[in-house]
Amino acid sequence: MAPRQAKRNVQKRPRGIKTGRPQLPSRKSARLEEIQRRQERTVSKDRNTEPKHPLPSPTSKTPGKEIKDRKRKRSQEDELTLPSNTIGENAAVGDSGEETNLLEYWRREFRWPKEYFELESDVIPGSAAPSPTTTPSDQELTEITPSDQRPRQVRSTPYQHPGYELLLESKGTFMQESDLDISDTSKTVCRTLLEAEQIVPEDSLFRDDVFHKTREMIRNRNEAKVIQDIARLIVPSAQSLAIRGAKSLETLTESVNEGWNNSISLTGTRPQPDYAVGFKRTAFTEDQLQRMQPVIGDFLDISFFMGTMRMYFPFLTCEVECGAGQLSVADRQNAHSMTLAVRGVVELFRLVKREKELHREILAFSISHNDEMVKIYGHYPVIDGNKTTFYRHPIREFVLESKEKWTAYTFTRNVYDTWMPTHLKRICSVIDELPPDLNFEDRRGSS
């Protein structure tokens, strides 16, 4: 029987656990609630509604130590509303390997069987795996909960450990520049994206006469506040620009705090960027979609070439993390997401043996920021035969003040207007070369 927890943590159930419809809590009067609170030390004797988990009578044969332990655990039990199944339907495999009743297991052990939880497939180097005896409220949410329904602090937890960078390195991703550096072509592109002028919004919180008040308003505030007030003034919305008349951006789609559920995983953590941009299905012709279908599959399949089911070939992410040292967390999140983005383009080019064209070329961008600092990176592959490693190139880092306030905005607009069309054309040129009878087994996600 699976619990409903006060902290809304939903855990993945082991085989053998079945659940029925959750029991709705009965309505209680204020007087009855007061009586139930007093029952922490005594047992209700003459009320129509009994406590959910009554303590044993002092006259029972339960040893005194067990009574004391049960009192200590009462606050945990009262937070759980258990499904109204019969005993037989709540069977689970316990630690001993024998089938046991989940409710009775909890009453006896004051914890759930270790099979009730599923650990991440990758453990960050230097960190201990969570104990299987930890209470559900302390466990990291597992994949039974869609990633985009998890609280922000939960999804960013793996990235807070400095060892996550070592985990990325073990997968071929390095949060630094390659000794080979980016190509001269990419260096020129970065300068152009930084220097080309753009029209910025006239009436916004970045307006000259109110910008100092804006900075004061968001100073030392949390991510939700910063995202609400200024995130789209740092990284503008591609779809909003398209609605306002930027017709060339109608091929783009975006995601906001949405899990990349259609992407083949790199680590046990699935990317869930605060903001991401990629291509719509309509960016490609019907013939191109047919050529890609064997390696992409259906909307519920995973592949190298998709982020969400609506987003093909993502190329931009933005992460917001506030607090001392938290920008490094945003950098790790972006490095993870953009590795998947660059990897997808490389794997597409490998299908037609053109991957060498991408060596040291920037194929994606990321922006990390908080209430006062912004970092812009380009992400690129280093290709050596069948081996591909991934690096990032620092493009610009600046304090969010009057002189620099529109830097990231204009850079992003230039990515949309100048770099993106060329990137799409490059991708389409490869798709046009894919054989129409491409074998599904050629999809490298199976290797």
PDB file of all heavy atoms in Angstrom, residues 27-39 44 46-49:
ATOM      1  N   ARG A  27     -14.654  14.131   7.515  1.00  0.00           N
ATOM      2  CA  ARG A  27     -14.737  15.490   8.016  1.00  0.00           C
ATOM      3  C   ARG A  27     -14.759  15.477   9.539  1.00  0.00           C
ATOM      4  O   ARG A  27     -15.474  14.722  10.163  1.00  0.00           O
ATOM      5  CB  ARG A  27     -16.006  16.164   7.486  1.00  0.00           C
ATOM      6  CG  ARG A  27     -15.988  16.297   5.969  1.00  0.00           C
ATOM      7  CD  ARG A  27     -17.153  17.144   5.510  1.00  0.00           C
ATOM      8  NE  ARG A  27     -17.095  17.336   4.090  1.00  0.00           N
ATOM      9  CZ  ARG A  27     -17.976  18.071   3.416  1.00  0.00           C
ATOM     10  NH1 ARG A  27     -18.963  18.675   4.053  1.00  0.00           N
ATOM     11  NH2 ARG A  27     -17.863  18.199   2.114  1.00  0.00           N
ATOM     12  N   LYS A  28     -13.996  16.350  10.129  1.00  0.00           N
ATOM     13  CA  LYS A  28     -13.903  16.385  11.572  1.00  0.00           C
ATOM     14  C   LYS A  28     -14.283  17.771  12.067  1.00  0.00           C
ATOM     15  O   LYS A  28     -13.913  18.771  11.482  1.00  0.00           O
ATOM     16  CB  LYS A  28     -12.472  16.066  12.011  1.00  0.00           C
ATOM     17  CG  LYS A  28     -11.923  14.760  11.461  1.00  0.00           C
ATOM     18  CD  LYS A  28     -10.494  14.583  11.923  1.00  0.00           C
ATOM     19  CE  LYS A  28      -9.900  13.299  11.350  1.00  0.00           C
ATOM     20  NZ  LYS A  28      -9.801  13.328   9.920  1.00  0.00           N
ATOM     21  N   SER A  29     -14.985  17.807  13.162  1.00  0.00           N
ATOM     22  CA  SER A  29     -15.270  19.087  13.798  1.00  0.00           C
ATOM     23  C   SER A  29     -14.038  19.567  14.526  1.00  0.00           C
ATOM     24  O   SER A  29     -13.116  18.815  14.798  1.00  0.00           O
ATOM     25  CB  SER A  29     -16.431  18.922  14.793  1.00  0.00           C
ATOM     26  OG  SER A  29     -16.028  18.086  15.862  1.00  0.00           O
ATOM     27  N   ALA A  30     -14.007  20.853  14.838  1.00  0.00           N
ATOM     28  CA  ALA A  30     -12.872  21.407  15.574  1.00  0.00           C
ATOM     29  C   ALA A  30     -12.717  20.714  16.918  1.00  0.00           C
ATOM     30  O   ALA A  30     -11.596  20.463  17.381  1.00  0.00           O
ATOM     31  CB  ALA A  30     -13.072  22.910  15.767  1.00  0.00           C
ATOM     32  N   ARG A  31     -13.885  20.375  17.550  1.00  0.00           N
ATOM     33  CA  ARG A  31     -13.832  19.704  18.846  1.00  0.00           C
ATOM     34  C   ARG A  31     -13.201  18.325  18.720  1.00  0.00           C
ATOM     35  O   ARG A  31     -12.363  17.930  19.548  1.00  0.00           O
ATOM     36  CB  ARG A  31     -15.263  19.591  19.411  1.00  0.00           C
ATOM     37  CG  ARG A  31     -15.362  18.786  20.715  1.00  0.00           C
ATOM     38  CD  ARG A  31     -14.593  19.426  21.837  1.00  0.00           C
ATOM     39  NE  ARG A  31     -14.739  18.692  23.080  1.00  0.00           N
ATOM     40  CZ  ARG A  31     -13.958  18.829  24.126  1.00  0.00           C
ATOM     41  NH1 ARG A  31     -12.949  19.703  24.072  1.00  0.00           N
ATOM     42  NH2 ARG A  31     -14.162  18.145  25.231  1.00  0.00           N
ATOM     43  N   LEU A  32     -13.590  17.585  17.677  1.00  0.00           N
ATOM     44  CA  LEU A  32     -13.056  16.255  17.486  1.00  0.00           C
ATOM     45  C   LEU A  32     -11.564  16.298  17.188  1.00  0.00           C
ATOM     46  O   LEU A  32     -10.791  15.465  17.666  1.00  0.00           O
ATOM     47  CB  LEU A  32     -13.790  15.551  16.335  1.00  0.00           C
ATOM     48  CG  LEU A  32     -13.352  14.097  16.027  1.00  0.00           C
ATOM     49  CD1 LEU A  32     -13.450  13.251  17.281  1.00  0.00           C
ATOM     50  CD2 LEU A  32     -14.195  13.541  14.906  1.00  0.00           C
ATOM     51  N   GLU A  33     -11.129  17.284  16.395  1.00  0.00           N
ATOM     52  CA  GLU A  33      -9.705  17.412  16.097  1.00  0.00           C
ATOM     53  C   GLU A  33      -8.915  17.685  17.364  1.00  0.00           C
ATOM     54  O   GLU A  33      -7.800  17.179  17.549  1.00  0.00           O
ATOM     55  CB  GLU A  33      -9.480  18.523  15.072  1.00  0.00           C
ATOM     56  CG  GLU A  33      -9.998  18.178  13.687  1.00  0.00           C
ATOM     57  CD  GLU A  33      -9.817  19.316  12.718  1.00  0.00           C
ATOM     58  OE1 GLU A  33      -9.532  20.438  13.193  1.00  0.00           O
ATOM     59  OE2 GLU A  33      -9.959  19.092  11.520  1.00  0.00           O
ATOM     60  N   GLU A  34      -9.481  18.507  18.264  1.00  0.00           N
ATOM     61  CA  GLU A  34      -8.808  18.792  19.515  1.00  0.00           C
ATOM     62  C   GLU A  34      -8.676  17.519  20.365  1.00  0.00           C
ATOM     63  O   GLU A  34      -7.647  17.246  20.982  1.00  0.00           O
ATOM     64  CB  GLU A  34      -9.576  19.871  20.288  1.00  0.00           C
ATOM     65  CG  GLU A  34      -9.016  20.185  21.677  1.00  0.00           C
ATOM     66  CD  GLU A  34      -7.609  20.741  21.611  1.00  0.00           C
ATOM     67  OE1 GLU A  34      -7.213  21.251  20.543  1.00  0.00           O
ATOM     68  OE2 GLU A  34      -6.888  20.655  22.623  1.00  0.00           O
ATOM     69  N   ILE A  35      -9.762  16.720  20.373  1.00  0.00           N
ATOM     70  CA  ILE A  35      -9.717  15.467  21.127  1.00  0.00           C
ATOM     71  C   ILE A  35      -8.653  14.541  20.566  1.00  0.00           C
ATOM     72  O   ILE A  35      -7.893  13.908  21.297  1.00  0.00           O
ATOM     73  CB  ILE A  35     -11.107  14.790  21.098  1.00  0.00           C
ATOM     74  CG1 ILE A  35     -12.117  15.615  21.921  1.00  0.00           C
ATOM     75  CG2 ILE A  35     -11.030  13.367  21.641  1.00  0.00           C
ATOM     76  CD1 ILE A  35     -13.525  15.122  21.816  1.00  0.00           C
ATOM     77  N   GLN A  36      -8.588  14.473  19.222  1.00  0.00           N
ATOM     78  CA  GLN A  36      -7.608  13.577  18.607  1.00  0.00           C
ATOM     79  C   GLN A  36      -6.176  14.012  18.895  1.00  0.00           C
ATOM     80  O   GLN A  36      -5.285  13.186  19.013  1.00  0.00           O
ATOM     81  CB  GLN A  36      -7.843  13.499  17.099  1.00  0.00           C
ATOM     82  CG  GLN A  36      -9.096  12.725  16.757  1.00  0.00           C
ATOM     83  CD  GLN A  36      -9.277  12.597  15.272  1.00  0.00           C
ATOM     84  OE1 GLN A  36      -8.972  13.530  14.532  1.00  0.00           O
ATOM     85  NE2 GLN A  36      -9.785  11.463  14.830  1.00  0.00           N
ATOM     86  N   ARG A  37      -5.957  15.313  18.982  1.00  0.00           N
ATOM     87  CA  ARG A  37      -4.618  15.776  19.318  1.00  0.00           C
ATOM     88  C   ARG A  37      -4.225  15.352  20.727  1.00  0.00           C
ATOM     89  O   ARG A  37      -3.068  15.061  21.008  1.00  0.00           O
ATOM     90  CB  ARG A  37      -4.525  17.300  19.172  1.00  0.00           C
ATOM     91  CG  ARG A  37      -4.398  17.768  17.725  1.00  0.00           C
ATOM     92  CD  ARG A  37      -3.957  19.221  17.664  1.00  0.00           C
ATOM     93  NE  ARG A  37      -4.999  20.126  18.172  1.00  0.00           N
ATOM     94  CZ  ARG A  37      -5.953  20.660  17.396  1.00  0.00           C
ATOM     95  NH1 ARG A  37      -5.973  20.391  16.105  1.00  0.00           N
ATOM     96  NH2 ARG A  37      -6.862  21.467  17.920  1.00  0.00           N
ATOM     97  N   ARG A  38      -5.204  15.329  21.626  1.00  0.00           N
ATOM     98  CA  ARG A  38      -4.908  14.915  22.998  1.00  0.00           C
ATOM     99  C   ARG A  38      -4.643  13.421  23.114  1.00  0.00           C
ATOM    100  O   ARG A  38      -4.139  12.937  24.122  1.00  0.00           O
ATOM    101  CB  ARG A  38      -6.084  15.290  23.914  1.00  0.00           C
ATOM    102  CG  ARG A  38      -6.265  16.808  24.057  1.00  0.00           C
ATOM    103  CD  ARG A  38      -7.471  17.115  24.926  1.00  0.00           C
ATOM    104  NE  ARG A  38      -7.684  18.542  25.064  1.00  0.00           N
ATOM    105  CZ  ARG A  38      -8.708  19.079  25.730  1.00  0.00           C
ATOM    106  NH1 ARG A  38      -9.588  18.284  26.326  1.00  0.00           N
ATOM    107  NH2 ARG A  38      -8.829  20.386  25.801  1.00  0.00           N
ATOM    108  N   GLN A  39      -5.014  12.701  22.070  1.00  0.00           N
ATOM    109  CA  GLN A  39      -4.879  11.247  22.134  1.00  0.00           C
ATOM    110  C   GLN A  39      -3.464  10.766  21.864  1.00  0.00           C
ATOM    111  O   GLN A  39      -3.234   9.584  21.684  1.00  0.00           O
ATOM    112  CB  GLN A  39      -5.834  10.592  21.130  1.00  0.00           C
ATOM    113  CG  GLN A  39      -7.274  10.685  21.580  1.00  0.00           C
ATOM    114  CD  GLN A  39      -8.213  10.193  20.512  1.00  0.00           C
ATOM    115  OE1 GLN A  39      -7.841  10.134  19.349  1.00  0.00           O
ATOM    116  NE2 GLN A  39      -9.407   9.833  20.900  1.00  0.00           N
ATOM    117  N   SER A  44      -8.700   7.086  22.702  1.00  0.00           N
ATOM    118  CA  SER A  44     -10.096   7.487  22.689  1.00  0.00           C
ATOM    119  C   SER A  44     -10.966   6.279  23.005  1.00  0.00           C
ATOM    120  O   SER A  44     -10.794   5.208  22.449  1.00  0.00           O
ATOM    121  CB  SER A  44     -10.456   8.040  21.312  1.00  0.00           C
ATOM    122  OG  SER A  44     -11.818   8.306  21.240  1.00  0.00           O
ATOM    123  N   ASP A  46     -14.692   6.669  23.830  1.00  0.00           N
ATOM    124  CA  ASP A  46     -16.125   6.782  23.567  1.00  0.00           C
ATOM    125  C   ASP A  46     -16.414   7.803  22.478  1.00  0.00           C
ATOM    126  O   ASP A  46     -17.325   8.590  22.573  1.00  0.00           O
ATOM    127  CB  ASP A  46     -16.882   7.157  24.844  1.00  0.00           C
ATOM    128  CG  ASP A  46     -16.387   8.466  25.446  1.00  0.00           C
ATOM    129  OD1 ASP A  46     -15.391   9.002  24.923  1.00  0.00           O
ATOM    130  OD2 ASP A  46     -17.017   8.919  26.397  1.00  0.00           O
ATOM    131  N   ARG A  47     -15.605   7.806  21.397  1.00  0.00           N
ATOM    132  CA  ARG A  47     -15.886   8.677  20.257  1.00  0.00           C
ATOM    133  C   ARG A  47     -16.248   7.819  19.056  1.00  0.00           C
ATOM    134  O   ARG A  47     -15.727   6.703  18.893  1.00  0.00           O
ATOM    135  CB  ARG A  47     -14.652   9.520  19.918  1.00  0.00           C
ATOM    136  CG  ARG A  47     -14.346  10.566  20.988  1.00  0.00           C
ATOM    137  CD  ARG A  47     -15.329  11.734  20.894  1.00  0.00           C
ATOM    138  NE  ARG A  47     -15.040  12.758  21.856  1.00  0.00           N
ATOM    139  CZ  ARG A  47     -15.744  12.916  22.980  1.00  0.00           C
ATOM    140  NH1 ARG A  47     -16.736  12.092  23.263  1.00  0.00           N
ATOM    141  NH2 ARG A  47     -15.454  13.895  23.813  1.00  0.00           N
ATOM    142  N   ASN A  48     -17.155   8.344  18.194  1.00  0.00           N
ATOM    143  CA  ASN A  48     -17.572   7.576  17.035  1.00  0.00           C
ATOM    144  C   ASN A  48     -16.448   7.410  16.027  1.00  0.00           C
ATOM    145  O   ASN A  48     -16.388   6.432  15.309  1.00  0.00           O
ATOM    146  CB  ASN A  48     -18.772   8.267  16.356  1.00  0.00           C
ATOM    147  CG  ASN A  48     -20.008   8.223  17.232  1.00  0.00           C
ATOM    148  OD1 ASN A  48     -20.167   7.292  18.029  1.00  0.00           O
ATOM    149  ND2 ASN A  48     -20.866   9.224  17.111  1.00  0.00           N
ATOM    150  N   THR A  49     -15.560   8.439  15.929  1.00  0.00           N
ATOM    151  CA  THR A  49     -14.460   8.393  14.971  1.00  0.00           C
ATOM    152  C   THR A  49     -13.183   8.109  15.716  1.00  0.00           C
ATOM    153  O   THR A  49     -12.773   8.892  16.560  1.00  0.00           O
ATOM    154  CB  THR A  49     -14.313   9.737  14.219  1.00  0.00           C
ATOM    155  OG1 THR A  49     -15.557  10.035  13.628  1.00  0.00           O
ATOM    156  CG2 THR A  49     -13.213   9.661  13.178  1.00  0.00           C
TER     157      THR A  49
END
